[in-house]
Amino acid sequence: MTGPRKTRGRAEALDTALGLGTLGSPLAKVGRFVLYAALVFVFAGPLLALLVSSFSRVTDPTSLTLIPTELTLDNFRAAFKRDVLLYLMNSFLVVGGGLLLQIAVSVSAAYALARKKFPGLRLVFLLILSTMMLPEEVLAIPLSLVLSDLNLVGSLFGMIVPVGAWAFSILVMAEFMKEIPLELEEAARLDGAGDFRIFWSVVLPLCKPALGVIGIFGFTMIWDQYLLPLLVATDSQQFTLPLALRTLRSDEEVGIGVLLAASLLAMLPSVLAFIAMQRQFMRGLTSGAIKG
């Protein structure tokens, strides 16, 4: 009985939040359906239009439609001839290496900040937090000089290293690790476990929800990078897909259909990443409220 009651409670809470809890007449149900359909159309309509139009013959950017007509793969063939697959591969290499580095740095720094006590701890937190207040444009010139000194300009590594440390991921992991009971760590120390064993076998497995959160946000942040590839890339063969989209947009020989096809390829990885990690993502978002 617990499962049905819990499900019913969630449905009632949703109806109450939408102001529909007291509407039970047939007319109210029709109104509810219309409201939900309108919300789906507003939020999903542009994405569906992008999906349908990328497989259609589109000559006017104002004539996008949700109804598929004259389906074709010509847009994708033309996009592939414009090296979109190369740009897509570059994006995957950057996001793969950058995300792995970012997660490694985030969990290591968060463990030190959350489970260790040392002088200047609050100052370190403040410095990490302050990096989130600086826009990318302010850091562009110093970052380009540092990358040039390290001989990382003109290399995909120059796009991976700067995203290896992100304050958001560090703070999320640190706050989550603070909620892990100290008794678990003390019990592991009594069994003879060291810091690394405690971190790897006790703390990290309990942080899967937080890893899902920083994984999705980190993937999206790195995937959507435009300024960093613009600073690092010295040749079109080093472009990532977001940077290549701007080049395709400025090319008068490229039709709107080709641009839509490339945009669809740029959007799909983020959607698939969220679908793959949505369970951990939702658990990570709700764990703080449940503990509170």
Side-chain angles (χ1 to χ4, degrees):
M1 295 299 293
T2 303
R5 289 180 180 177
K6 186 179 297 185
T7 304
R8 193 183 310 115
R10 291 175 179 174
E12 292 175 355
L14 178 61
D15 287 343
T16 304
L18 294 176
L20 304 173
T22 58
L23 303 179
S25 65
L27 182 60
K29 294 180 179 179
V30 173
R32 184 185 306 180
F33 175 80
V34 172
L35 175 60
Y36 290 166
L39 291 175
V40 170
F41 177 80
V42 170
F43 289 102
L47 301 180
L48 293 177
L50 172 63
L51 176 62
V52 173
S53 300
S54 62
F55 288 95
S56 305
R57 300 184 186 277
V58 181
T59 58
D60 185 359
T62 63
S63 63
L64 302 185
T65 178
L66 297 176
I67 303 175
T69 57
E70 298 184 29
L71 296 181
T72 178
L73 295 176
D74 290 345
N75 295 331
F76 290 92
R77 295 191 185 99
F80 295 158
K81 292 180 180 179
R82 295 280 177 172
D83 292 333
V84 168
L85 283 181
L86 174 62
Y87 305 143
L88 185 64
M89 182 59 64
N90 289 342
S91 293
F92 276 122
L93 291 175
V94 171
V95 77
L99 187 59
L100 289 176
L101 180 61
Q102 187 178 109
I103 291 177
V105 171
S106 298
V107 297
S108 302
Y111 179 73
L113 294 173
R115 315 299 290 188
K116 302 296 180 181
K117 302 296 182 182
F118 55 88
L121 177 60
R122 292 186 178 181
L123 178 60
V124 173
F125 261 109
L126 181 61
L127 291 176
I128 294 176
L129 183 62
S130 64
T131 61
M132 300 179 64
M133 305 176 185
L134 298 175
E136 292 183 346
E137 293 76 11
V138 175
L139 301 175
I141 295 178
L143 179 60
S144 63
L145 294 176
V146 172
L147 292 176
S148 179
D149 292 338
L150 296 176
N151 294 323
L152 292 177
V153 175
S155 170
L156 293 182
F157 287 104
M159 307 178 196
I160 294 175
V161 174
V163 299
W166 191 27
F168 174 83
S169 297
I170 296 175
L171 294 177
V172 168
M173 290 300 305
E175 292 301 320
F176 195 90
M177 287 183 180
K178 286 181 180 179
E179 301 297 331
I180 298 176
L182 291 175
E183 290 77 7
L184 296 177
E185 185 174 338
E186 294 172 356
R189 291 191 185 279
L190 291 176
D191 292 337
D195 286 337
F196 180 78
R197 183 63 182 274
I198 293 174
F199 166 73
W200 185 259
S201 301
V202 179
V203 176
L204 199 57
L206 297 175
C207 295
K208 289 183 179 180
L211 289 174
V213 173
I214 68 172
I216 290 180
F217 277 105
F219 184 98
T220 304
M221 185 273 288
I222 300 173
W223 185 265
D224 293 337
Q225 281 290 322
Y226 175 81
L227 183 60
L228 181 58
L230 185 63
L231 295 174
V232 175
T234 57
D235 185 81
S236 61
Q237 300 297 310
Q238 302 163 356
F239 284 0
T240 57
L241 194 51
L243 185 58
L245 286 176
R246 180 66 183 88
T247 304
L248 293 175
R249 180 66 181 86
S250 60
D251 191 345
E252 297 180 355
E253 297 181 1
V254 176
I256 184 63
V258 178
L259 186 61
L260 291 174
S263 300
L264 179 63
L265 293 176
M267 181 190 69
L268 281 180
S270 297
V271 175
L272 296 177
F274 177 79
I275 293 175
M277 304 178 67
Q278 61 175 330
R279 180 176 299 179
Q280 298 297 334
F281 179 75
M282 297 306 299
R283 285 180 57 192
L285 291 182
T286 57
S287 60
I290 294 175
K291 292 177 181 177

